[in-house]
Amino acid sequence: MTVEAPTAPPRSGLGRGTALTLAVAGALTVANIYFPQPLLDAIASGLGVSGSAAGLVATAAQIGYALGISLVVPLADVARLRRLTTALLLLTTAGLLVAAAAPNLVTLTLATVALSTTTVIPQVLMPTAASMAGPAHSGRAVGMIGIGLTLGSTLSRTLSGAVVELSGDWRTAYLVSAALTGALVLVLPRLLPEHGAGDRTVPYRKLIGSLPKLLLAHAELRLSAFLGATVFAAFSAFWATLAFHLAGPAFGKGVAWAGLFGLFSLPAALLSYSAGRLSDQRGPLYVNTLALACVSAAFLLLGTLGGGSMAALVIGSNLLVYGGSCWQIANQVRIFRLDERIRARLNTLFMLASFAGGAVGSLTGTALYGTYGWSGMILGCGGFLVLAAGGLVRGRRIG
């Protein structure tokens, strides 16, 4: 009788050092979207415009990022990845330098749209890392990049404020970001595969035109898009109204406290790395269920005690960040298990759905808070979670 040796699990083609570098690159590039937000008052003073006018810079960043996801990220399926990332990094660096030298708000706003359109490296890295890691380890890769994006978006606000505080000039933050982004040109492209996994002969028009067909063709994509939109709507509603709630009579805190909550919830963001490993071992549906339980517990706590307890707000925000991060990782792992040749386009559609959900959630949350207060906003978020739960139940046959 012959005893066969146990088969070892396939090793990941993405080493830890490379994965960490990709995560750092994702953090530095996604920071370009968020670091200007704390600088708006300084920008308004420096350019001699009103605070509401300076707010156009933050809006321009979101518009540019959405354009980049729609029009640039799909190229990762078919383009020469090293050439694409080099071009994107150089264009982003140039945009940051133009923004740093902007003589007026119009120039700064246009530069922001341009640099935000090209700073979509994180959404190129996510499907690329999944392909490099292989099917058995794609969740870990997605989880690692996801942690980088969370840290980059959160810490960038704090660090840019500190840079301006030390230098006394908002332009310094743009120069620092330009230096960091430009430095990635020397490191990042050489770590990536030469080509995307798709057919390099597909023309750009056909590439973009294939997006609606992919949504119709893949039930897993429709499931992840719906789940991503609903929970991100609730997530965004909370963060859109938190500053108003903290400034209200129950707490009387300044606007800076809302920024601190990003730091308070960093432990949960770091713990969410486990979602990638769990998705590899137990499947995305298991992680979705766990994440929805955490998000639901967060809003239950925020609704019952968060109206007047700072501790409840901190604990609730950690539960929400952990659940929300795990939710997104599981959804992306699900779509990245589909055809490797179309992963970038799948990620484009998923991210657009999540962005749309976040926009609806922010508008709904602020409207409900303005009319019915904190409890009204929490109930509205409960409605989004009911939709998510319904989608999860119907999606059990998909996985």
Side-chain angles (χ1 to χ4, degrees), residues 282-316:
R282 303 290 297 272
L285 188 64
Y286 175 85
V287 178
N288 277 140
T289 304
L290 172 65
L292 185 60
C294 288
V295 173
S296 299
F299 279 107
L300 182 62
L301 178 62
L302 292 168
T304 54
L305 299 176
S309 168
M310 184 64 71
L313 281 181
V314 172
I315 295 172

Side-chain angles (χ1 to χ4, degrees), residues 231 234-235 238-239 267-269 271-275 278 285-304 312-328 330 378 381-382 385 388-389 392:
V231 168
F235 186 91
F238 169 78
W239 291 105
L271 286 173
S272 67
Y273 172 70
S274 62
L278 279 175
L285 188 64
Y286 175 85
V287 178
N288 277 140
T289 304
L290 172 65
L292 185 60
C294 288
V295 173
S296 299
F299 279 107
L300 182 62
L301 178 62
L302 292 168
T304 54
L313 281 181
V314 172
I315 295 172
S317 67
N318 272 273
L319 284 170
L320 183 57
V321 167
Y322 177 76
S325 298
C326 291
W327 186 262
Q328 175 155 328
I378 294 292
C381 291
L385 298 186
L392 202 56

